Amino acid sequence: MFGQWRGTRSWVRTVACVLAGWGMGVAAQTADAPGVSTVFKKWHATYDVAQDGRASYTQEVLNQVMHPGALEQAKQFSFSYSAGIQSGQVLEAYTLKADGRRIEVPADNYQTQTSDGRNGGKPLFSDRTRISVVFPDLAVGDAVGVKYRIDDKEAMFPGAFSVAHSFSPYAVHQDSQITLRAPRGLDLRYEAHGLQEQPEATEGGAVVRQWRYRNPEPRTADEADAGIWRMDEMPVLLVSSFADYEAIARAYGERALPKAQPTPRVRELARSIVGPQTDPRERARLLYEWVSTHITYAGNCIGVGAVVPRDTDVVLDNKMGDCKDHATLLQALLAAEGIRSEQVLINAGELYDLPATPVVSTVNHVLNYLPELGLYLDATAKQVPFGFLPSNAYAKPVIHVGAARALATTPAESADKTAQRVHTQLKINAQGGATGSLRVEFKGTQAAHMREYMRDLQGDAERDFVRKVLASAGYKGRGVLDKGDLAEGKALSDQYGFGVGFEIDNYLQGGMQGAFVLAPVVGLPLSVVRYAALDDFTAPRRRVRCYGYHSLETYDIVLERGVAFTRLPDNFKTRNPQLNYSGSYQRTKNGAKVVREIHDTTPQGLCTPEYMAQWNAQAEPIAQSLQGQIFYKRYTVASRAAQERGRSAKATPRGKKKRN
């Protein structure tokens, strides 16, 4: 559904908003697959599709519990439907005991939750009705069975049908199947992966197609599963009456684009936001930031509202809306100022390859695109500055609504747009303590994220901030926080900085002599020292989301009397196609100056396993360099004086007096 922006790997069938029930990733335990907790003895899904796109969906599941840890989850089952355009009912529900006895679920074990307005009014967010079933007398070895049906009263898109139905490869399936009945004249496209297709049959005027799935030995999650999956790597069935993704864009646009026409109210609002600004990019930025900061997120799960935006008046009256509402309002505001824009459909999760069969649920989020500026914008994703996108929206296929060329791909983001600069002043005393200050400056999305974090830091949380971040690094200390410029007008600026002053009692933690790895006293998202932990990095076997950045860290360290650095790490510099690094450690009159800089040129987007293998090879020597320690020695004034006397005595030959 277009109204959700949730990063999740999900191939489960989508009905309107969410079809809830047992988690499809639940493992199972059998003789062939020990260590798992439930077994799907039966999972039968049936779709009866009408000529106008309406469908009846029936699901029958028998789930056996094989481990005590699965009892709580298996004891309850829930599903939901949109009351405005669907009806739903439980056809049967029972506990099947291990000895073969069947215990029907009594009437008192059902719970129906409805979403209504007040005094006959309609609900604002959702008209979902949720039916829950609690199974009686359930024990390990028993199975729970349920059969329910959801009937469409109205098609989500008039005259169209599409669905993606998958099974989890991490669960045991003994007898699972999907059956689809459709009128002979309905033009449907089918795409199946990992399923056994059965011979086509007919029932009256309907064509019946069926796919079966068995998975006696479930997949075990390991590092091989990390990264971006393609849909065709999963057991999945895709069915659609849409000829192509352009057809989905047209179906969405028919009802969405008329709502993006600027009304007098929208025109007046746009003028008030833009003011005297004449530069097109700046006007677009002001409008984007207004929608992003003034319109909060609220889903729309009311009938066809899952794919049709609300009227702009409703969004403005309530100052909230889902992704369609954000995109539609922003398009209307831009149009009011003569700035052309398009709505863009994209997948909200980790799907980076659109399947050949066009299914609505694979493009379940809406962005904006400004052709003249060549910019994609997502006003739904908060704390994202103008000109940036959320991290999982780069290098992703998109469908432009109402454009001459519908299919496109969002560009990867340059690593140069993300940066962090840190300067630390540090004074270390003979007791092993330290005082100093840290100042950090951010560039890019991290700036907006950190500014929002600091704005929310109030009261005790603000007062205890330095103490807690020091404690998280093993330090006992205290300090003050300088939250930087939190002006309301800079909420989405891509530039931000803050500082801390600190006193640490145990900065040197190795006793009278020891060693430490130099790092900022405050954990920071783009620290150079993060690379020190990459020596055990394993290159992924799949594509992964990746990004680069520029990070510069400088340290001015002053040593008070009673402490000395006995050895500094070696200077190191390397230049590579993907990673450039330099680290210098220079002694000063009373301490040391350290400069470490890394420039990861990786664009933000997708990286292949081959790219990451090369990146890893370049990162390993950097990691080894950053693991280099600073060795120190502490001493008292008396012991230092004794050492100096000893050195003086050794320098004077026996039997001779030292000259004055």
Side-chain angles (χ1 to χ4, degrees):
M1 70 205 133
F2 298 116
Q4 288 191 326
W5 174 246
R6 300 288 184 268
T8 178
R9 183 193 299 170
S10 176
W11 298 276
V12 186
R13 177 189 186 255
T14 301
V15 179
C17 284
V18 178
L19 178 63
W22 291 302
M24 289 195 68
V26 175
Q29 177 166 331
T30 68
D32 295 330
V36 289
S37 53
T38 66
V39 173
F40 286 113
K41 309 287 285 186
K42 177 189 289 188
W43 183 301
H44 289 187
T46 302
Y47 296 88
D48 288 286
V49 184
Q51 188 72 42
D52 61 3
R54 289 178 300 126
S56 292
Y57 172 69
T58 304
Q59 179 169 301
E60 183 178 4
V61 178
L62 185 63
N63 189 23
Q64 186 176 20
V65 180
M66 305 301 290
H67 189 275
L71 278 172
E72 183 175 352
Q73 184 178 13
K75 195 172 183 64
Q76 180 174 319
F77 176 83
S78 300
F79 71 97
S80 67
Y81 57 91
S82 176
I85 61 171
Q86 294 174 318
S87 62
Q89 60 178 314
V90 176
L91 303 177
E92 57 183 40
Y94 57 91
T95 299
L96 185 63
K97 301 294 291 181
D99 59 12
R101 289 181 294 120
R102 174 169 165 150
I103 303 175
E104 301 295 334
V105 173
D108 292 343
N109 281 35
Y110 290 84
Q111 179 77 37
T112 300
Q113 296 173 294
T114 60
S115 300
D116 295 315
R118 182 182 182 187
N119 297 330
K122 296 180 180 180
L124 180 61
F125 305 113
S126 172
D127 67 351
R128 306 295 292 179
T129 293
R130 182 183 182 89
I131 300 177
S132 300
V133 181
V134 177
F135 299 94
D137 193 17
L138 183 63
V140 174
D142 298 343
V144 292
V146 65
K147 183 177 182 180
Y148 68 93
R149 188 174 74 224
I150 298 175
D151 298 304
D152 289 342
K153 296 183 283 187
E154 178 183 347
M156 190 67 67
F157 288 97
F161 172 82
S162 74
V163 70
H165 190 124
S166 73
F167 298 105
S168 171
Y170 299 98
V172 172
H173 286 265
Q174 292 186 348
D175 174 22
S176 297
Q177 65 183 37
I178 306 170
T179 302
L180 191 141
R181 300 186 186 92
R184 183 173 296 278
L186 186 59
D187 185 15
L188 293 176
R189 289 151 187 81
Y190 301 90
E191 181 180 344
H193 301 281
L195 308 177
Q196 294 179 339
E197 185 171 0
Q198 305 303 301
E200 183 179 301
T202 58
E203 290 182 6
V207 176
V208 181
R209 301 187 67 169
Q210 189 176 87
W211 295 261
R212 294 179 181 174
Y213 177 64
R214 293 187 70 254
N215 192 41
E217 298 183 13
R219 189 183 187 104
T220 301
D222 57 23
E223 65 180 21
D225 285 340
I228 303 300
W229 288 69
R230 298 190 313 272
M231 186 172 277
D232 59 14
E233 295 180 288
M234 303 295 295
V236 64
L237 172 67
L238 303 164
V239 183
S240 180
S241 65
F242 291 101
D244 46 38
Y245 285 100
E246 287 85 350
I248 293 178
R250 287 192 297 271
Y252 169 74
E254 285 176 1
R255 292 180 290 185
L257 296 186
K259 295 177 179 288
Q261 294 299 314
T263 63
R265 180 180 182 182
V266 166
R267 292 185 184 279
E268 182 179 354
L269 175 61
R271 285 194 296 269
S272 69
I273 295 170
V274 170
Q277 181 59 248
T278 58
D279 180 71
R281 184 183 179 92
E282 278 302 294
R283 288 190 295 156
R285 180 188 65 81
L286 291 169
L287 295 171
Y288 163 81
E289 291 186 354
W290 190 93
V291 174
S292 182
T293 57
H294 286 75
I295 307 298
T296 58
Y297 181 84
N300 186 358
C301 292
I302 302 178
V304 295
V307 294
V308 179
R310 297 176 171 98
D311 292 338
T312 54
D313 277 348
V314 176
V315 178
L316 292 173
D317 286 344
N318 294 280
K319 291 292 191 297
M320 61 186 180
D322 64 8
C323 64
K324 305 180 305 299
D325 302 327
H326 281 75
T328 300
L329 175 59
L330 180 55
Q331 187 176 26
L333 289 167
L334 290 166
E337 288 300 310
I339 302 172
R340 189 164 67 88
S341 67
E342 299 164 359
Q343 293 193 42
V344 177
L345 307 182
I346 189 173
N347 180 264
E350 298 298 297
L351 184 62
Y352 281 78
D353 304 277
L354 292 179
T357 301
V359 173
V360 171
S361 60
T362 60
V363 283
N364 55 0
H365 183 56
V366 189
L367 310 176
N368 293 92
Y369 178 68
L370 281 58
E372 280 79 12
L373 299 178
L375 285 180
Y376 288 92
L377 304 172
D378 186 356
T380 314
K382 308 306 178 185
Q383 290 83 56
V384 175
F386 180 77
F388 293 83
L389 284 172
S391 59
N392 70 340
Y394 289 108
K396 213 171 208 180
V398 291
I399 307 170
H400 288 240
V401 179
R405 180 173 173 266
L407 288 176
T409 301
T410 58
E413 184 61 273
S414 169
D416 294 334
K417 294 183 69 174
T418 302
Q420 176 179 285
R421 293 175 178 267
V422 189
H423 180 62
T424 300
Q425 291 182 312
L426 192 65
K427 182 181 287 186
I428 303 174
N429 58 48
Q431 291 72 45
T435 59
S437 63
L438 175 147
R439 181 72 189 177
V440 57
E441 301 289 341
F442 297 97
K443 174 185 174 183
T445 55
Q446 287 291 347
H449 288 309
M450 191 60 70
R451 180 186 290 105
E452 180 69 12
Y453 174 83
M454 288 297 178
R455 288 184 63 186
D456 291 341
L457 206 62
Q458 302 290 335
D460 291 342
E462 180 178 351
R463 287 188 292 272
D464 293 340
F465 173 80
V466 177
R467 178 181 62 81
K468 287 184 176 181
V469 296
L470 292 176
S472 68
Y475 297 129
K476 181 180 179 181
R478 64 215 62 84
V480 294
L481 170 65
D482 173 8
K483 296 170 70 172
D485 187 354
L486 300 179
E488 190 72 29
K490 294 187 177 181
L492 291 183
S493 169
D494 63 352
Q495 306 281 337
Y496 173 68
F498 72 90
V500 296
F502 55 84
E503 298 177 9
I504 300 174
D505 300 331
N506 61 337
Y507 186 80
L508 301 179
Q509 301 179 13
M512 295 303 291
Q513 57 183 356
F516 63 95
V517 173
L518 185 63
V521 296
V522 175
L524 297 169
L526 304 178
S527 289
V528 173
V529 78
R530 293 175 62 201
Y531 283 75
L534 294 177
D535 56 346
D536 60 349
F537 174 81
T538 300
R541 304 180 196 177
R542 299 177 183 274
R543 296 169 302 168
V544 295
R545 280 202 278 137
C546 53
Y547 63 96
Y549 57 88
H550 180 207
S551 186
L552 174 65
E553 295 178 357
T554 57
Y555 299 81
D556 286 318
I557 305 173
V558 174
L559 302 177
E560 293 186 347
R561 188 177 182 185
V563 61
F565 288 160
T566 58
R567 192 169 77 194
L568 297 178
D570 294 332
N571 294 341
F572 180 74
K573 185 174 183 179
T574 180
R575 294 188 64 82
N576 299 287
Q578 293 148 311
L579 286 172
N580 298 324
Y581 172 75
S582 64
S584 66
Y585 303 83
Q586 181 181 8
R587 291 185 181 276
T588 61
K589 181 178 179 180
N590 57 351
K593 182 177 182 63
V594 178
V595 180
R596 298 190 299 205
E597 183 173 16
I598 195 157
H599 191 182
D600 186 337
T601 63
T602 302
Q604 184 162 0
L606 279 186
C607 290
T608 64
E610 294 76 19
Y611 182 97
M612 293 308 299
Q614 295 174 5
W615 185 94
N616 186 37
Q618 297 172 22
E620 283 182 354
I622 298 173
Q624 293 171 6
S625 174
L626 286 168
Q627 291 168 6
Q629 295 178 306
I630 294 177
F631 288 80
Y632 69 87
K633 186 174 182 180
R634 294 194 289 126
Y635 48 85
T636 64
V637 174
S639 65
R640 182 59 180 266
Q643 291 175 2
E644 291 178 352
R645 286 195 299 271
R647 284 195 295 269
S648 176
K650 290 180 180 179
T652 304
R654 288 185 178 182
K656 294 185 178 181
K657 293 183 178 180
K658 185 177 180 181
R659 292 182 179 180
N660 294 328

